[in-house]
Amino acid sequence: MQKSILITGGAGFIGSHLVRLFVKKYPDYKIINLDALTYAGNLENLKDIENEHNYQFIKGDITDPATVGRIFANHNIKGVIHLAAESHVDRSIANPLEFINTNIIGTVNLLNAARMQWKDDPKNHLFYHISTDEVYGSLGNEGLFTEQTPYDPRSPYSASKAASDHLVRAYYHTYNLPVVISNCSNNYGPNQFPEKLLPLAINNIFNNREIPIYGKGENVRDWLYVEDHAAAIDLIFHKGTIGETYNIGGLNEWKNIDLIKLLCSIADKNLNRKEGASEKLITFVKDRAGHDKRYAIDASKLINELGWEPSVTFEEGLQITVEWYIKNYDWIKRVISGEYEEYYNKQYGI
Ligand code: NAD
Ligand code: DAU
């Protein structure tokens, strides 16, 4: 029987890049994409592979045990790569319960189904949980998050992800469920929903709309091109050690304000605007509540043990990203046609 891999959240930003990679690279696997198609999920992201023989989409909610149970009963699921989540910090501040439901209850449903289905042969299976560096909390000016950094989540989003990480480890220790976890830094690239900093800024630049920067723009994030995250997930899925955690990061720290200035200058060149035109749109706005100061990842375990390295420099990745959004402006227009404007007005008070 064909080896089936269940990828949850495959219609989202990172999930769609991962599904594409697996469908193309592993013709012998059957890739099942389970996604509820929330505001952040979009099948258009997978148009180019939707008819491949080894791909199947199932619309369903991970918080529903019956849906999840049926998928495990009907398919020979050998591995799970679990990305489905509510993923935006600002939305978690406005509405924490949705994050608790999807990120914690949804993860437990998947863990329960895997545990029941795999109990007689745990060795030949793997539950891979995709998590975030935000579980480690906030750094000062010095230091990096390692796999040993104690958890200290500070937003409802990161607390819900931390809880799900703990539960995944609990199933490993208590039920011998074969698990692996990775915690990644900020991703950027094509197909990211324009509520996150970079695509929001790109969209606003296109529309000559103010670019909102929280506080003084001094918070620091470590940016990684989304396809390099997908490549790391591939490596960890196939070569990672069961029970282990791997940090994934870009070795690429930027203050938000410097990042947006660089973006503006790349955008000016690509849009044939006068140098400095987009930068004028930068507007400092009220800070995010509990805004984590700095994230930075020590990825040496992944680099030294599994041989991973990023494939593009940040300048290359940003250039590819800006070009993609220019070429796919209709994609942005379609994804923001729903509740986006209402969200935007509530979030930014405009
Ligand atoms: P995203 O918001 O773009 O996509 C999430 C996907 O999950 C969407 O397709 C959505 O429809 C689906 N989904 C949401 N609730 C669901 C439910 N109840 N049942 C089934 N599907 C549901 O998220 P992303 O940025 O691609 O992040 C993917 C994963 O990676 C998340 O677990 C996130 O915590 C983690 N992560 C993200 C980043 C980042 O920078 N974006 C960094 C590190 C880790
Ligand atoms: O670190 C990994 C995490 O990165 C992921 O787990 C999350 O899913 C992902 O959303 C991201 O979280 P951040 O909160 O770091 O990303 P965001 O794009 O929302 O914000 C990046 C930085 O930019 C942060 O310091 C807040 C700031 N910001 C964000 C927005 C949306 C602004 O200054 N203005 C904005 O309008």
mmCIF file with all atom_site columns, all heavy atoms in Angstrom, residues 9 11-14 35-38 40-41 60-62 83-85 87 102 131 157 161 184-185 187, ligand 1:
data_model
loop_
_atom_site.group_PDB
_atom_site.id
_atom_site.type_symbol
_atom_site.label_atom_id
_atom_site.label_alt_id
_atom_site.label_comp_id
_atom_site.label_asym_id
_atom_site.label_entity_id
_atom_site.label_seq_id
_atom_site.pdbx_PDB_ins_code
_atom_site.Cartn_x
_atom_site.Cartn_y
_atom_site.Cartn_z
_atom_site.occupancy
_atom_site.B_iso_or_equiv
_atom_site.pdbx_formal_charge
_atom_site.auth_seq_id
_atom_site.auth_comp_id
_atom_site.auth_asym_id
_atom_site.auth_atom_id
_atom_site.pdbx_PDB_model_num
ATOM   1   N N   . GLY A 1 9   ? -2.986  21.846 7.602  1.00 0.00 ? 9   GLY A N   1
ATOM   2   C CA  . GLY A 1 9   ? -2.719  23.262 7.330  1.00 0.00 ? 9   GLY A CA  1
ATOM   3   C C   . GLY A 1 9   ? -1.983  23.481 6.020  1.00 0.00 ? 9   GLY A C   1
ATOM   4   O O   . GLY A 1 9   ? -1.311  24.496 5.841  1.00 0.00 ? 9   GLY A O   1
ATOM   5   N N   . ALA A 1 11  ? -2.980  24.317 3.152  1.00 0.00 ? 11  ALA A N   1
ATOM   6   C CA  . ALA A 1 11  ? -3.423  25.395 2.261  1.00 0.00 ? 11  ALA A CA  1
ATOM   7   C C   . ALA A 1 11  ? -2.946  26.761 2.763  1.00 0.00 ? 11  ALA A C   1
ATOM   8   O O   . ALA A 1 11  ? -3.224  27.788 2.141  1.00 0.00 ? 11  ALA A O   1
ATOM   9   C CB  . ALA A 1 11  ? -4.947  25.387 2.143  1.00 0.00 ? 11  ALA A CB  1
ATOM   10  N N   . GLY A 1 12  ? -2.239  26.767 3.879  1.00 0.00 ? 12  GLY A N   1
ATOM   11  C CA  . GLY A 1 12  ? -1.736  28.027 4.427  1.00 0.00 ? 12  GLY A CA  1
ATOM   12  C C   . GLY A 1 12  ? -0.393  28.399 3.814  1.00 0.00 ? 12  GLY A C   1
ATOM   13  O O   . GLY A 1 12  ? 0.048   27.795 2.823  1.00 0.00 ? 12  GLY A O   1
ATOM   14  N N   . PHE A 1 13  ? 0.245   29.351 4.424  1.00 0.00 ? 13  PHE A N   1
ATOM   15  C CA  . PHE A 1 13  ? 1.502   29.902 3.877  1.00 0.00 ? 13  PHE A CA  1
ATOM   16  C C   . PHE A 1 13  ? 2.607   28.831 3.839  1.00 0.00 ? 13  PHE A C   1
ATOM   17  O O   . PHE A 1 13  ? 3.010   28.361 2.762  1.00 0.00 ? 13  PHE A O   1
ATOM   18  C CB  . PHE A 1 13  ? 1.879   31.100 4.746  1.00 0.00 ? 13  PHE A CB  1
ATOM   19  C CG  . PHE A 1 13  ? 3.269   31.630 4.565  1.00 0.00 ? 13  PHE A CG  1
ATOM   20  C CD1 . PHE A 1 13  ? 3.802   31.871 3.303  1.00 0.00 ? 13  PHE A CD1 1
ATOM   21  C CD2 . PHE A 1 13  ? 4.058   31.924 5.689  1.00 0.00 ? 13  PHE A CD2 1
ATOM   22  C CE1 . PHE A 1 13  ? 5.095   32.377 3.154  1.00 0.00 ? 13  PHE A CE1 1
ATOM   23  C CE2 . PHE A 1 13  ? 5.340   32.430 5.545  1.00 0.00 ? 13  PHE A CE2 1
ATOM   24  C CZ  . PHE A 1 13  ? 5.861   32.651 4.277  1.00 0.00 ? 13  PHE A CZ  1
ATOM   25  N N   . ILE A 1 14  ? 3.082   28.391 4.987  1.00 0.00 ? 14  ILE A N   1
ATOM   26  C CA  . ILE A 1 14  ? 4.199   27.425 5.006  1.00 0.00 ? 14  ILE A CA  1
ATOM   27  C C   . ILE A 1 14  ? 3.723   26.071 4.487  1.00 0.00 ? 14  ILE A C   1
ATOM   28  O O   . ILE A 1 14  ? 4.419   25.405 3.712  1.00 0.00 ? 14  ILE A O   1
ATOM   29  C CB  . ILE A 1 14  ? 4.776   27.293 6.435  1.00 0.00 ? 14  ILE A CB  1
ATOM   30  C CG1 . ILE A 1 14  ? 5.262   28.656 6.943  1.00 0.00 ? 14  ILE A CG1 1
ATOM   31  C CG2 . ILE A 1 14  ? 5.916   26.280 6.462  1.00 0.00 ? 14  ILE A CG2 1
ATOM   32  C CD1 . ILE A 1 14  ? 5.584   28.685 8.438  1.00 0.00 ? 14  ILE A CD1 1
ATOM   33  N N   . ASP A 1 35  ? -7.180  20.588 5.675  1.00 0.00 ? 35  ASP A N   1
ATOM   34  C CA  . ASP A 1 35  ? -7.203  22.021 5.990  1.00 0.00 ? 35  ASP A CA  1
ATOM   35  C C   . ASP A 1 35  ? -8.657  22.484 6.076  1.00 0.00 ? 35  ASP A C   1
ATOM   36  O O   . ASP A 1 35  ? -9.494  22.097 5.254  1.00 0.00 ? 35  ASP A O   1
ATOM   37  C CB  . ASP A 1 35  ? -6.454  22.810 4.893  1.00 0.00 ? 35  ASP A CB  1
ATOM   38  C CG  . ASP A 1 35  ? -6.078  24.200 5.347  1.00 0.00 ? 35  ASP A CG  1
ATOM   39  O OD1 . ASP A 1 35  ? -7.002  25.010 5.635  1.00 0.00 ? 35  ASP A OD1 1
ATOM   40  O OD2 . ASP A 1 35  ? -4.873  24.507 5.414  1.00 0.00 ? 35  ASP A OD2 1
ATOM   41  N N   . ALA A 1 36  ? -8.945  23.325 7.057  1.00 0.00 ? 36  ALA A N   1
ATOM   42  C CA  . ALA A 1 36  ? -10.307 23.820 7.253  1.00 0.00 ? 36  ALA A CA  1
ATOM   43  C C   . ALA A 1 36  ? -10.615 25.009 6.346  1.00 0.00 ? 36  ALA A C   1
ATOM   44  O O   . ALA A 1 36  ? -11.758 25.463 6.302  1.00 0.00 ? 36  ALA A O   1
ATOM   45  C CB  . ALA A 1 36  ? -10.501 24.224 8.713  1.00 0.00 ? 36  ALA A CB  1
ATOM   46  N N   . LEU A 1 37  ? -9.610  25.510 5.651  1.00 0.00 ? 37  LEU A N   1
ATOM   47  C CA  . LEU A 1 37  ? -9.761  26.705 4.801  1.00 0.00 ? 37  LEU A CA  1
ATOM   48  C C   . LEU A 1 37  ? -10.360 27.863 5.597  1.00 0.00 ? 37  LEU A C   1
ATOM   49  O O   . LEU A 1 37  ? -11.425 28.398 5.264  1.00 0.00 ? 37  LEU A O   1
ATOM   50  C CB  . LEU A 1 37  ? -10.593 26.409 3.543  1.00 0.00 ? 37  LEU A CB  1
ATOM   51  C CG  . LEU A 1 37  ? -10.023 25.342 2.616  1.00 0.00 ? 37  LEU A CG  1
ATOM   52  C CD1 . LEU A 1 37  ? -10.907 25.164 1.379  1.00 0.00 ? 37  LEU A CD1 1
ATOM   53  C CD2 . LEU A 1 37  ? -8.594  25.698 2.179  1.00 0.00 ? 37  LEU A CD2 1
ATOM   54  N N   . THR A 1 38  ? -9.683  28.237 6.670  1.00 0.00 ? 38  THR A N   1
ATOM   55  C CA  . THR A 1 38  ? -10.053 29.451 7.398  1.00 0.00 ? 38  THR A CA  1
ATOM   56  C C   . THR A 1 38  ? -9.654  30.636 6.517  1.00 0.00 ? 38  THR A C   1
ATOM   57  O O   . THR A 1 38  ? -9.163  30.456 5.393  1.00 0.00 ? 38  THR A O   1
ATOM   58  C CB  . THR A 1 38  ? -9.273  29.556 8.728  1.00 0.00 ? 38  THR A CB  1
ATOM   59  O OG1 . THR A 1 38  ? -7.880  29.766 8.414  1.00 0.00 ? 38  THR A OG1 1
ATOM   60  C CG2 . THR A 1 38  ? -9.427  28.296 9.578  1.00 0.00 ? 38  THR A CG2 1
ATOM   61  N N   . ALA A 1 40  ? -7.111  32.112 6.460  1.00 0.00 ? 40  ALA A N   1
ATOM   62  C CA  . ALA A 1 40  ? -5.683  32.032 6.103  1.00 0.00 ? 40  ALA A CA  1
ATOM   63  C C   . ALA A 1 40  ? -5.387  30.911 5.117  1.00 0.00 ? 40  ALA A C   1
ATOM   64  O O   . ALA A 1 40  ? -4.284  30.840 4.572  1.00 0.00 ? 40  ALA A O   1
ATOM   65  C CB  . ALA A 1 40  ? -4.845  31.822 7.371  1.00 0.00 ? 40  ALA A CB  1
ATOM   66  N N   . GLY A 1 41  ? -6.347  30.039 4.884  1.00 0.00 ? 41  GLY A N   1
ATOM   67  C CA  . GLY A 1 41  ? -6.123  28.905 3.987  1.00 0.00 ? 41  GLY A CA  1
ATOM   68  C C   . GLY A 1 41  ? -6.662  29.217 2.604  1.00 0.00 ? 41  GLY A C   1
ATOM   69  O O   . GLY A 1 41  ? -7.736  29.800 2.467  1.00 0.00 ? 41  GLY A O   1
ATOM   70  N N   . GLY A 1 60  ? -11.416 19.892 6.182  1.00 0.00 ? 60  GLY A N   1
ATOM   71  C CA  . GLY A 1 60  ? -11.875 19.418 7.489  1.00 0.00 ? 60  GLY A CA  1
ATOM   72  C C   . GLY A 1 60  ? -11.164 20.144 8.608  1.00 0.00 ? 60  GLY A C   1
ATOM   73  O O   . GLY A 1 60  ? -10.112 20.756 8.419  1.00 0.00 ? 60  GLY A O   1
ATOM   74  N N   . ASP A 1 61  ? -11.771 20.024 9.796  1.00 0.00 ? 61  ASP A N   1
ATOM   75  C CA  . ASP A 1 61  ? -11.317 20.798 10.946 1.00 0.00 ? 61  ASP A CA  1
ATOM   76  C C   . ASP A 1 61  ? -10.612 19.865 11.939 1.00 0.00 ? 61  ASP A C   1
ATOM   77  O O   . ASP A 1 61  ? -11.202 18.864 12.367 1.00 0.00 ? 61  ASP A O   1
ATOM   78  C CB  . ASP A 1 61  ? -12.570 21.425 11.590 1.00 0.00 ? 61  ASP A CB  1
ATOM   79  C CG  . ASP A 1 61  ? -12.227 22.488 12.600 1.00 0.00 ? 61  ASP A CG  1
ATOM   80  O OD1 . ASP A 1 61  ? -11.173 22.357 13.270 1.00 0.00 ? 61  ASP A OD1 1
ATOM   81  O OD2 . ASP A 1 61  ? -13.014 23.441 12.740 1.00 0.00 ? 61  ASP A OD2 1
ATOM   82  N N   . ILE A 1 62  ? -9.396  20.202 12.319 1.00 0.00 ? 62  ILE A N   1
ATOM   83  C CA  . ILE A 1 62  ? -8.661  19.337 13.252 1.00 0.00 ? 62  ILE A CA  1
ATOM   84  C C   . ILE A 1 62  ? -9.283  19.329 14.652 1.00 0.00 ? 62  ILE A C   1
ATOM   85  O O   . ILE A 1 62  ? -8.957  18.474 15.470 1.00 0.00 ? 62  ILE A O   1
ATOM   86  C CB  . ILE A 1 62  ? -7.155  19.710 13.356 1.00 0.00 ? 62  ILE A CB  1
ATOM   87  C CG1 . ILE A 1 62  ? -6.965  21.165 13.780 1.00 0.00 ? 62  ILE A CG1 1
ATOM   88  C CG2 . ILE A 1 62  ? -6.431  19.410 12.049 1.00 0.00 ? 62  ILE A CG2 1
ATOM   89  C CD1 . ILE A 1 62  ? -5.546  21.484 14.256 1.00 0.00 ? 62  ILE A CD1 1
ATOM   90  N N   . LEU A 1 83  ? 0.881   21.318 10.746 1.00 0.00 ? 83  LEU A N   1
ATOM   91  C CA  . LEU A 1 83  ? 1.082   22.771 10.684 1.00 0.00 ? 83  LEU A CA  1
ATOM   92  C C   . LEU A 1 83  ? -0.188  23.556 10.990 1.00 0.00 ? 83  LEU A C   1
ATOM   93  O O   . LEU A 1 83  ? -0.109  24.763 11.251 1.00 0.00 ? 83  LEU A O   1
ATOM   94  C CB  . LEU A 1 83  ? 1.559   23.210 9.292  1.00 0.00 ? 83  LEU A CB  1
ATOM   95  C CG  . LEU A 1 83  ? 2.931   22.744 8.836  1.00 0.00 ? 83  LEU A CG  1
ATOM   96  C CD1 . LEU A 1 83  ? 2.819   21.485 8.002  1.00 0.00 ? 83  LEU A CD1 1
ATOM   97  C CD2 . LEU A 1 83  ? 3.667   23.819 8.062  1.00 0.00 ? 83  LEU A CD2 1
ATOM   98  N N   . ALA A 1 84  ? -1.363  22.926 10.874 1.00 0.00 ? 84  ALA A N   1
ATOM   99  C CA  . ALA A 1 84  ? -2.612  23.676 11.013 1.00 0.00 ? 84  ALA A CA  1
ATOM   100 C C   . ALA A 1 84  ? -2.631  24.411 12.344 1.00 0.00 ? 84  ALA A C   1
ATOM   101 O O   . ALA A 1 84  ? -2.384  23.816 13.393 1.00 0.00 ? 84  ALA A O   1
ATOM   102 C CB  . ALA A 1 84  ? -3.809  22.733 10.921 1.00 0.00 ? 84  ALA A CB  1
ATOM   103 N N   . ALA A 1 85  ? -2.901  25.689 12.282 1.00 0.00 ? 85  ALA A N   1
ATOM   104 C CA  . ALA A 1 85  ? -2.919  26.496 13.510 1.00 0.00 ? 85  ALA A CA  1
ATOM   105 C C   . ALA A 1 85  ? -3.519  27.856 13.207 1.00 0.00 ? 85  ALA A C   1
ATOM   106 O O   . ALA A 1 85  ? -3.588  28.279 12.050 1.00 0.00 ? 85  ALA A O   1
ATOM   107 C CB  . ALA A 1 85  ? -1.489  26.685 14.038 1.00 0.00 ? 85  ALA A CB  1
ATOM   108 N N   . SER A 1 87  ? -2.314  31.428 13.542 1.00 0.00 ? 87  SER A N   1
ATOM   109 C CA  . SER A 1 87  ? -0.884  31.743 13.567 1.00 0.00 ? 87  SER A CA  1
ATOM   110 C C   . SER A 1 87  ? -0.542  33.224 13.777 1.00 0.00 ? 87  SER A C   1
ATOM   111 O O   . SER A 1 87  ? 0.635   33.563 13.842 1.00 0.00 ? 87  SER A O   1
ATOM   112 C CB  . SER A 1 87  ? -0.242  31.277 12.245 1.00 0.00 ? 87  SER A CB  1
ATOM   113 O OG  . SER A 1 87  ? -0.692  32.087 11.176 1.00 0.00 ? 87  SER A OG  1
ATOM   114 N N   . THR A 1 102 ? -7.980  25.641 18.356 1.00 0.00 ? 102 THR A N   1
ATOM   115 C CA  . THR A 1 102 ? -7.281  25.044 17.207 1.00 0.00 ? 102 THR A CA  1
ATOM   116 C C   . THR A 1 102 ? -5.911  24.509 17.615 1.00 0.00 ? 102 THR A C   1
ATOM   117 O O   . THR A 1 102 ? -5.570  23.363 17.312 1.00 0.00 ? 102 THR A O   1
ATOM   118 C CB  . THR A 1 102 ? -7.107  26.100 16.091 1.00 0.00 ? 102 THR A CB  1
ATOM   119 O OG1 . THR A 1 102 ? -8.401  26.509 15.663 1.00 0.00 ? 102 THR A OG1 1
ATOM   120 C CG2 . THR A 1 102 ? -6.334  25.536 14.908 1.00 0.00 ? 102 THR A CG2 1
ATOM   121 N N   . SER A 1 131 ? 6.408   23.916 15.216 1.00 0.00 ? 131 SER A N   1
ATOM   122 C CA  . SER A 1 131 ? 6.173   24.966 16.206 1.00 0.00 ? 131 SER A CA  1
ATOM   123 C C   . SER A 1 131 ? 7.049   26.200 15.932 1.00 0.00 ? 131 SER A C   1
ATOM   124 O O   . SER A 1 131 ? 7.673   26.307 14.882 1.00 0.00 ? 131 SER A O   1
ATOM   125 C CB  . SER A 1 131 ? 6.372   24.420 17.620 1.00 0.00 ? 131 SER A CB  1
ATOM   126 O OG  . SER A 1 131 ? 5.868   25.344 18.555 1.00 0.00 ? 131 SER A OG  1
ATOM   127 N N   . TYR A 1 157 ? -1.082  33.418 21.508 1.00 0.00 ? 157 TYR A N   1
ATOM   128 C CA  . TYR A 1 157 ? -0.611  32.546 20.422 1.00 0.00 ? 157 TYR A CA  1
ATOM   129 C C   . TYR A 1 157 ? 0.541   31.668 20.892 1.00 0.00 ? 157 TYR A C   1
ATOM   130 O O   . TYR A 1 157 ? 0.491   30.440 20.778 1.00 0.00 ? 157 TYR A O   1
ATOM   131 C CB  . TYR A 1 157 ? -0.181  33.387 19.205 1.00 0.00 ? 157 TYR A CB  1
ATOM   132 C CG  . TYR A 1 157 ? 0.676   32.610 18.218 1.00 0.00 ? 157 TYR A CG  1
ATOM   133 C CD1 . TYR A 1 157 ? 0.152   31.558 17.472 1.00 0.00 ? 157 TYR A CD1 1
ATOM   134 C CD2 . TYR A 1 157 ? 2.037   32.911 18.045 1.00 0.00 ? 157 TYR A CD2 1
ATOM   135 C CE1 . TYR A 1 157 ? 0.947   30.834 16.576 1.00 0.00 ? 157 TYR A CE1 1
ATOM   136 C CE2 . TYR A 1 157 ? 2.834   32.198 17.161 1.00 0.00 ? 157 TYR A CE2 1
ATOM   137 C CZ  . TYR A 1 157 ? 2.278   31.160 16.428 1.00 0.00 ? 157 TYR A CZ  1
ATOM   138 O OH  . TYR A 1 157 ? 3.065   30.438 15.556 1.00 0.00 ? 157 TYR A OH  1
ATOM   139 N N   . LYS A 1 161 ? 0.840   27.572 21.433 1.00 0.00 ? 161 LYS A N   1
ATOM   140 C CA  . LYS A 1 161 ? 1.829   26.725 20.741 1.00 0.00 ? 161 LYS A CA  1
ATOM   141 C C   . LYS A 1 161 ? 2.689   25.984 21.781 1.00 0.00 ? 161 LYS A C   1
ATOM   142 O O   . LYS A 1 161 ? 3.019   24.819 21.603 1.00 0.00 ? 161 LYS A O   1
ATOM   143 C CB  . LYS A 1 161 ? 2.715   27.562 19.811 1.00 0.00 ? 161 LYS A CB  1
ATOM   144 C CG  . LYS A 1 161 ? 2.011   28.135 18.586 1.00 0.00 ? 161 LYS A CG  1
ATOM   145 C CD  . LYS A 1 161 ? 1.481   27.092 17.614 1.00 0.00 ? 161 LYS A CD  1
ATOM   146 C CE  . LYS A 1 161 ? 2.560   26.345 16.867 1.00 0.00 ? 161 LYS A CE  1
ATOM   147 N NZ  . LYS A 1 161 ? 1.982   25.479 15.800 1.00 0.00 ? 161 LYS A NZ  1
ATOM   148 N N   . CYS A 1 184 ? 10.636  27.174 14.702 1.00 0.00 ? 184 CYS A N   1
ATOM   149 C CA  . CYS A 1 184 ? 11.249  28.016 13.658 1.00 0.00 ? 184 CYS A CA  1
ATOM   150 C C   . CYS A 1 184 ? 11.023  29.504 13.926 1.00 0.00 ? 184 CYS A C   1
ATOM   151 O O   . CYS A 1 184 ? 10.085  29.902 14.599 1.00 0.00 ? 184 CYS A O   1
ATOM   152 C CB  . CYS A 1 184 ? 10.654  27.634 12.299 1.00 0.00 ? 184 CYS A CB  1
ATOM   153 S SG  . CYS A 1 184 ? 11.503  28.419 10.916 1.00 0.00 ? 184 CYS A SG  1
ATOM   154 N N   . SER A 1 185 ? 11.911  30.295 13.355 1.00 0.00 ? 185 SER A N   1
ATOM   155 C CA  . SER A 1 185 ? 11.808  31.750 13.451 1.00 0.00 ? 185 SER A CA  1
ATOM   156 C C   . SER A 1 185 ? 10.859  32.287 12.373 1.00 0.00 ? 185 SER A C   1
ATOM   157 O O   . SER A 1 185 ? 10.205  31.515 11.675 1.00 0.00 ? 185 SER A O   1
ATOM   158 C CB  . SER A 1 185 ? 13.196  32.359 13.290 1.00 0.00 ? 185 SER A CB  1
ATOM   159 O OG  . SER A 1 185 ? 13.690  32.039 11.998 1.00 0.00 ? 185 SER A OG  1
ATOM   160 N N   . ASN A 1 187 ? 9.087   33.370 9.184  1.00 0.00 ? 187 ASN A N   1
ATOM   161 C CA  . ASN A 1 187 ? 9.181   33.032 7.757  1.00 0.00 ? 187 ASN A CA  1
ATOM   162 C C   . ASN A 1 187 ? 8.704   34.204 6.908  1.00 0.00 ? 187 ASN A C   1
ATOM   163 O O   . ASN A 1 187 ? 7.836   34.968 7.315  1.00 0.00 ? 187 ASN A O   1
ATOM   164 C CB  . ASN A 1 187 ? 8.264   31.849 7.440  1.00 0.00 ? 187 ASN A CB  1
ATOM   165 C CG  . ASN A 1 187 ? 8.789   30.510 7.925  1.00 0.00 ? 187 ASN A CG  1
ATOM   166 O OD1 . ASN A 1 187 ? 8.592   29.504 7.267  1.00 0.00 ? 187 ASN A OD1 1
ATOM   167 N ND2 . ASN A 1 187 ? 9.460   30.472 9.067  1.00 0.00 ? 187 ASN A ND2 1
HETATM 168 P P1  . NAD B 2 .   ? -1.147  30.210 8.192  1.00 0.00 ? 1   NAD B P1  1
HETATM 169 O O1  . NAD B 2 .   ? -2.008  30.975 9.129  1.00 0.00 ? 1   NAD B O1  1
HETATM 170 O O2  . NAD B 2 .   ? -0.708  30.825 6.917  1.00 0.00 ? 1   NAD B O2  1
HETATM 171 O O3  . NAD B 2 .   ? -1.875  28.839 7.811  1.00 0.00 ? 1   NAD B O3  1
HETATM 172 C C1  . NAD B 2 .   ? -2.548  28.057 8.739  1.00 0.00 ? 1   NAD B C1  1
HETATM 173 C C2  . NAD B 2 .   ? -3.366  27.015 7.968  1.00 0.00 ? 1   NAD B C2  1
HETATM 174 O O4  . NAD B 2 .   ? -4.042  26.189 8.928  1.00 0.00 ? 1   NAD B O4  1
HETATM 175 C C3  . NAD B 2 .   ? -4.452  27.622 7.076  1.00 0.00 ? 1   NAD B C3  1
HETATM 176 O O5  . NAD B 2 .   ? -4.453  26.998 5.815  1.00 0.00 ? 1   NAD B O5  1
HETATM 177 C C4  . NAD B 2 .   ? -5.742  27.349 7.822  1.00 0.00 ? 1   NAD B C4  1
HETATM 178 O O6  . NAD B 2 .   ? -6.868  27.203 6.968  1.00 0.00 ? 1   NAD B O6  1
HETATM 179 C C5  . NAD B 2 .   ? -5.405  26.056 8.535  1.00 0.00 ? 1   NAD B C5  1
HETATM 180 N N1  . NAD B 2 .   ? -6.209  25.860 9.735  1.00 0.00 ? 1   NAD B N1  1
HETATM 181 C C6  . NAD B 2 .   ? -6.445  26.756 10.730 1.00 0.00 ? 1   NAD B C6  1
HETATM 182 N N2  . NAD B 2 .   ? -7.270  26.230 11.640 1.00 0.00 ? 1   NAD B N2  1
HETATM 183 C C7  . NAD B 2 .   ? -7.546  24.959 11.233 1.00 0.00 ? 1   NAD B C7  1
HETATM 184 C C8  . NAD B 2 .   ? -8.343  23.908 11.758 1.00 0.00 ? 1   NAD B C8  1
HETATM 185 N N3  . NAD B 2 .   ? -9.023  24.055 12.901 1.00 0.00 ? 1   NAD B N3  1
HETATM 186 N N4  . NAD B 2 .   ? -8.398  22.727 11.092 1.00 0.00 ? 1   NAD B N4  1
HETATM 187 C C9  . NAD B 2 .   ? -7.709  22.569 9.930  1.00 0.00 ? 1   NAD B C9  1
HETATM 188 N N5  . NAD B 2 .   ? -6.959  23.545 9.369  1.00 0.00 ? 1   NAD B N5  1
HETATM 189 C C10 . NAD B 2 .   ? -6.886  24.722 10.017 1.00 0.00 ? 1   NAD B C10 1
HETATM 190 O O7  . NAD B 2 .   ? 0.073   29.728 9.063  1.00 0.00 ? 1   NAD B O7  1
HETATM 191 P P2  . NAD B 2 .   ? 1.627   29.607 8.677  1.00 0.00 ? 1   NAD B P2  1
HETATM 192 O O8  . NAD B 2 .   ? 2.280   30.906 8.862  1.00 0.00 ? 1   NAD B O8  1
HETATM 193 O O9  . NAD B 2 .   ? 1.751   28.866 7.405  1.00 0.00 ? 1   NAD B O9  1
HETATM 194 O O10 . NAD B 2 .   ? 2.110   28.664 9.879  1.00 0.00 ? 1   NAD B O10 1
HETATM 195 C C11 . NAD B 2 .   ? 2.002   27.257 9.798  1.00 0.00 ? 1   NAD B C11 1
HETATM 196 C C12 . NAD B 2 .   ? 2.515   26.629 11.076 1.00 0.00 ? 1   NAD B C12 1
HETATM 197 O O11 . NAD B 2 .   ? 3.870   27.002 11.273 1.00 0.00 ? 1   NAD B O11 1
HETATM 198 C C13 . NAD B 2 .   ? 1.769   27.058 12.339 1.00 0.00 ? 1   NAD B C13 1
HETATM 199 O O12 . NAD B 2 .   ? 1.660   25.946 13.175 1.00 0.00 ? 1   NAD B O12 1
HETATM 200 C C14 . NAD B 2 .   ? 2.685   28.122 12.945 1.00 0.00 ? 1   NAD B C14 1
HETATM 201 O O13 . NAD B 2 .   ? 2.524   28.158 14.343 1.00 0.00 ? 1   NAD B O13 1
HETATM 202 C C15 . NAD B 2 .   ? 4.039   27.610 12.546 1.00 0.00 ? 1   NAD B C15 1
HETATM 203 N N6  . NAD B 2 .   ? 5.091   28.636 12.384 1.00 0.00 ? 1   NAD B N6  1
HETATM 204 C C16 . NAD B 2 .   ? 4.878   29.721 11.592 1.00 0.00 ? 1   NAD B C16 1
HETATM 205 C C17 . NAD B 2 .   ? 5.913   30.648 11.410 1.00 0.00 ? 1   NAD B C17 1
HETATM 206 C C18 . NAD B 2 .   ? 5.739   31.857 10.530 1.00 0.00 ? 1   NAD B C18 1
HETATM 207 O O14 . NAD B 2 .   ? 6.634   32.718 10.511 1.00 0.00 ? 1   NAD B O14 1
HETATM 208 N N7  . NAD B 2 .   ? 4.677   31.989 9.772  1.00 0.00 ? 1   NAD B N7  1
HETATM 209 C C19 . NAD B 2 .   ? 7.138   30.446 12.045 1.00 0.00 ? 1   NAD B C19 1
HETATM 210 C C20 . NAD B 2 .   ? 7.300   29.331 12.878 1.00 0.00 ? 1   NAD B C20 1
HETATM 211 C C21 . NAD B 2 .   ? 6.275   28.419 13.024 1.00 0.00 ? 1   NAD B C21 1
#
